[in-house]
């Protein structure tokens, strides 16, 4: 993807966890996103579906790629107190 930086953010909002990954690479194309031979993307979609999550991937030519995974939080279970208190759980930029 020729990215030189990646940002990873995990947040809790609206009874779901959101994992947002952004890079500054070449940007995934619509053809690549919908290519049935893209086994890596297929695997990510399947893993998200297994936990009831949504998986979105978008790219802008020359501007990078964004992956967004939203995982619902089961309201019948109690998340760890630290997760419940903090809105932003983690943010890291990897140069």
């Amino acid at each position: 993807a020729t990215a030189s930086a990646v940002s990873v953010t995990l947040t809790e909002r609206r009874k779901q966890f959101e994992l947002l990954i952004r890079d500054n690479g070449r940007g995934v194309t619509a053809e690549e996103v919908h290519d049935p031979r893209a086994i890596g993307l297929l695997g990510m979609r399947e893993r998200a579906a297994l936990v009831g999550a949504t998986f979105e991937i978008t790219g802008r030519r020359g501007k990078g790629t964004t992956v967004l995974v939203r995982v619902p939080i089961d309201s019948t279970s109690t998340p760890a107190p630290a997760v419940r208190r903090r809105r932003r759980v983690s943010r890291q930029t990897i140069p």
Side-chain angles (χ1 to χ4, degrees):
T2 67
S4 62
V6 176
S7 171
V8 178
T9 305
L10 179 63
T11 57
E12 177 189 357
R13 60 176 93 189
R14 295 185 213 103
K15 297 187 180 186
Q16 62 187 357
F17 285 116
E18 289 185 358
L19 172 63
L20 179 64
I21 305 167
R22 291 183 179 157
D23 72 29
N24 65 348
R26 65 175 178 78
V28 67
T29 66
E31 293 81 19
E32 291 170 322
V33 169
H34 300 294
D35 183 351
R37 297 169 295 166
I39 302 301
L41 294 178
L42 177 63
M44 286 186 256
R45 283 188 187 95
E46 288 177 346
R47 285 177 181 84
L50 284 173
V51 296
T54 61
F55 175 86
E56 301 171 31
I57 183 167
T58 57
R60 290 183 44 205
R61 188 175 185 161
K63 301 290 183 182
T65 299
T66 300
V67 176
L68 176 61
V69 181
R70 290 186 175 114
V71 183
I73 298 171
D74 183 358
S75 61
T76 61
S77 66
T78 305
V83 173
R84 185 175 290 272
R85 284 191 300 258
R86 294 178 63 192
R87 187 164 178 87
R88 173 169 280 148
V89 178
S90 172
R91 181 180 174 97
Q92 180 177 4
T93 300
I94 304 168

